[in-house]
Amino acid sequence: MTDWQRLDPRTLATQPVATVAKAIVPAIAAMVGLGSAIGLNFALLIGIAVVVGAGALPWWTTTYRVTPTHLEIRRGVLNRTTVTARLDRVRSVDLEADVVHRVLRVTKVAVGTGVDESRLELDSLGVDEAERLRVALLHGSRPTDEPAAPAPVHEIARLDWSWVRFAPLNVGNLVIALAAFGAVLSQFDQVIDEQRVERAWHWLRDSDVPLLAGGVLLAGLLLWVPCACLGYAVRWYGLSITREQGKDGPTLRRVHGALTQRATTVEEAKIRGAVVRRRALVGLAGGAELHLLTTGLEDNETHLLPSAPRELVDDVATDVLGERAALRAPVTAHGAVARRRCYVRNLRDALLTTAGTALAVWLARAGGLGLAVWLPLVVLVVAVPVAVATAELHYRRLGHTLTERYLVSCTGTFTASRTALESDGIVGWRVHQSFWDRRRGLAQLVATTAAGKEQVVVPDVPLGEAVAVAAAATPRMVEGFLA
Amino acid sequence: MTLPAPSLREPSHRVSQRAPAYWRVHAAVAAVVMWLTAVALLVTVLLVPGGWWSVLLWVGVAVLAVAPVPWLTLAPRIRFDVHRWEVTDIAVHVRSGWLSRTDEIVPLSRVQTVDSAQGPLMRVFGLRTVTVQTASSAGTVAIACLDDAVAQEVVARLVAITAATPEDAT
């Protein structure tokens, strides 16, 4: 196929809708402004013409073709630009379709070439055409008019509706939801004047506070649980993770989404490790989520699985990483000194908080504000047990180990994370000791990598152990520098 | 029986003999700014009638006056003793810090770019810093304050070795 192809004609419909959705507020403002000057009907006509024109422009100016060696995309009328990507450099082909796209059965195609942030995008192609292009780019077969030969597909995981039970336990999402709620509420700050606040305050003082708090909590819970479940269901509807045979080895493909549907493909050769996170309440309920550490994608920490039962998450991760030990092997604790470090750090924070409260109370009283003298004492009584408990928890979650192929680091206080990074994916080491670390013989071991967040930290590990781990994980790199 | 824990040996080369002098001048510039600020604070505290905050100002003056002293006296000497580097055929090893210690090792097969840089003050002292970058933004290693000639030599050597190892750098 060497002919230049256009985008799907249905793009003419999707683009204006996207443009309008993005620019609805300024568009209306401009229309009203223009309308008062030249008459509303005329302004409306101009508005429609602009929107339709903006939609037609990409369709009119963009063409693409697949040659035996390259994918070429040509854009522009006066300023013609041609973007090309070598087919053997194509690392990922992602499809994304929002509601409008899905109604019209078209989809966006984004082609990644393994270099960060340079993606070739086609917005949009028909669903069948996009699938043909995807297969052609990833599996090397030239796109033809008959449907591609079905590649052997092996399903690794599929959404089970029982997983929705974890959604309300994800308190992090609650914080995000509350922040959004607060942002919406702040739009009404003109309505809330001092009088109302005062009246509310009086009403609050006269009412039964525990009963009221219980009621608010219950109402919040009743509102939060269905919202969280709905959010989870909409985002992860139809999740399926499959393995296909790409032209240079197997690829993982993840499809999900009820409204906006996304299909992401990752070459398995680009996977350098995984992170299993057990968030506070989700973890207590036996759930976990899975992220992949990859290189050369736009987002190098692919969220592969949402909150799901831990057994299943570990099974999927084992399948992807090819090693059970990376997920389940017991980890080495960092020892008494590291534990002491955890306690000292937390107790110091507790004492600083107390001191801060004491200072605030003192300043307030000096300024004539009657804050209770015993307030710092209350803070101390609460903060110290919390500090001790979290220190112990933090220490128990700290650990590392080295399996046959992976460096494993476990960290976290409330959220327990287990990061497995392939030893082959380590592109350097840093052993850092602060002044206090040196006095205690601890070190912060950092394995740098191109994948994920670009580094994996093994914190507060005894110095000798840090060096031993580095030497064992990458003997060739470190051996020459050992004493 | 457990084996004795391994440790990293000192990399073989020191940085330039002129590095401590450069560090001292560098610190002196910062020190002058801090002392001028301290003088300004002192004038303020003496001229303006005192309040509860004058204690804080005195503390500020003391801190600003004393803080630069270690960087002018002790730090350059200690850093010169600590800072070491070594380039083998396989990897670069750099040690740095004065209160802290940082050991960085980067295998040459994963090096993506080799840079060298020289600020105006470094030029006066004939110093140059060689920076080695990998595919990880967290994995950039700098060999600071080498003699200009040595730095050029190191760059040439690193480029030659990395060009000869055609491994995928990620």
Side-chain angles (χ1 to χ4, degrees), chain B residues 2 12 22 41-42 53 62 66 73 96 102 120 124 134 138-139 150:
Chain B
T2 54
S12 53
Y22 163 73
L41 281 187
L42 194 66
W53 40 266
V66 175
T73 53
S96 60
T102 307
V124 174
T134 62
V150 176

Side-chain angles (χ1 to χ4, degrees), chain A residues 3 38 94 108 128-129 155 185 224 289 300 330 453 460:
Chain A
D3 294 343
I38 57 173
D94 297 347
K108 287 184 215 172
D128 300 330
E129 180 59 30
E155 187 170 76
L185 214 61
W224 166 244
E289 56 184 54
N300 275 330
K453 298 238 183 325
D460 296 336

Side-chain angles (χ1 to χ4, degrees), chain A residues 438, chain B residues 75 78-80 82-83 95-102:
Chain A
R438 283 172 59 202
Chain B
I78 299 175
R79 282 176 80 176
F80 183 71
V82 173
H83 281 230
R95 177 173 290 183
S96 60
W98 67 285
L99 288 177
S100 65
R101 284 278 184 288
T102 307

Side-chain angles (χ1 to χ4, degrees), chain A residues 166 277-279 281-289 307-310 313:
Chain A
F166 294 115
R277 284 208 179 90
R278 289 180 286 137
R279 295 191 188 278
L281 293 176
V282 180
L284 278 179
E289 56 184 54
S307 302
R310 193 177 167 207
V313 167

Side-chain angles (χ1 to χ4, degrees), chain A residues 4 27 68 87 90 206-208 218 231 276 307 355 364 385 389 396 439:
Chain A
W4 287 95
L87 291 189
V90 171
D206 296 341
S207 57
D208 188 351
L218 190 71
V276 176
S307 302
R396 296 221 170 153
R439 290 174 58 107

Side-chain angles (χ1 to χ4, degrees), chain A residues 135-149:
Chain A
V135 172
L137 292 177
L138 284 181
H139 306 286
S141 71
R142 305 274 302 280
T144 47
D145 280 8
E146 60 264 20

